């Protein structure tokens, strides 16, 4: 499975961005999909996940109410809509695929290359 993330960029605080992650190699619907991020000088952390059907989602507390994860299995694409961005959201964002429902990075099987999101004041 290959994952290709895109949609990052430089935005001002309060703005919105939508990240996309296109998968190839296997059907997207076989996997739980998620987003992680790594800020400068920090460890990579879980951001959001969505079940294979899209009926269940999970978010880290700091993005609840601002970020929305969704998926379109027909397009083999998962999205992360990010609203009300703040400086603390600056990071490289990675999409990932997992065979299980877990926030632990060890459970995630496939990773994209990352897309940079920079929020300025």
């Amino acid at each position: 499975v290959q994952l290709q993330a895109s949609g990052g960029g430089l935005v001002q605080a309060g703005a919105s961005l939508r990240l996309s992650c296109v998968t190839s190699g296997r059907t997207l619907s076989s996997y739980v999909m998620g987003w992680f991020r790594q800020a400068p000088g920090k460890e990579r952390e879980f951001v959001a996940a969505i079940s294979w059907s899209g009926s269940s989602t999970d978010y880290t507390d700091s993005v609840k109410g601002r970020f929305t994860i969704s998926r379109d299995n027909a397009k083999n694409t998962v999205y992360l809509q990010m609203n009300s961005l703040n400086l603390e959201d600056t990071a490289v964002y990675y999409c990932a695929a997992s065979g299980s429902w877990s926030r632990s990075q060890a459970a995630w099987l496939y990773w994209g290359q990352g897309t940079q999101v920079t929020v300025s004041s």
Side-chain angles (χ1 to χ4, degrees):
V1 176
Q2 295 182 327
L3 287 72
Q4 181 72 39
S6 62
L10 172 63
V11 297
Q12 289 190 324
S16 298
L17 276 176
R18 188 176 80 158
L19 305 183
S20 299
C21 177
V22 179
T23 66
S24 60
R26 285 195 66 175
T27 303
L28 179 68
S29 60
S30 301
Y31 299 98
V32 173
M33 297 298 297
W35 290 92
F36 291 74
R37 66 185 180 185
Q38 186 168 21
K42 296 186 177 181
E43 294 186 354
R44 188 163 58 185
E45 64 173 354
F46 170 83
V47 176
I50 187 167
S51 62
W52 69 270
S53 67
S55 60
S56 296
T57 57
D58 185 24
Y59 298 93
T60 193
D61 286 347
S62 63
V63 308
K64 283 181 180 177
R66 300 189 298 121
F67 290 12
T68 302
I69 188 170
S70 61
R71 65 193 294 163
D72 185 337
N73 290 339
K75 295 182 178 180
N76 285 332
T77 303
V78 61
Y79 305 98
L80 186 67
Q81 178 67 43
M82 306 186 295
N83 298 329
S84 301
L85 285 161
N86 58 52
L87 300 180
E88 291 68 37
D89 296 318
T90 294
V92 177
Y93 283 72
Y94 299 88
C95 62
S98 176
S100 60
W101 188 255
S102 172
R103 292 188 176 192
S104 172
Q105 294 186 47
W108 295 79
L109 303 173
Y110 305 102
W111 294 83
Q113 86 290 357
T115 185
Q116 177 71 48
V117 172
T118 303
V119 184
S120 64
S121 59

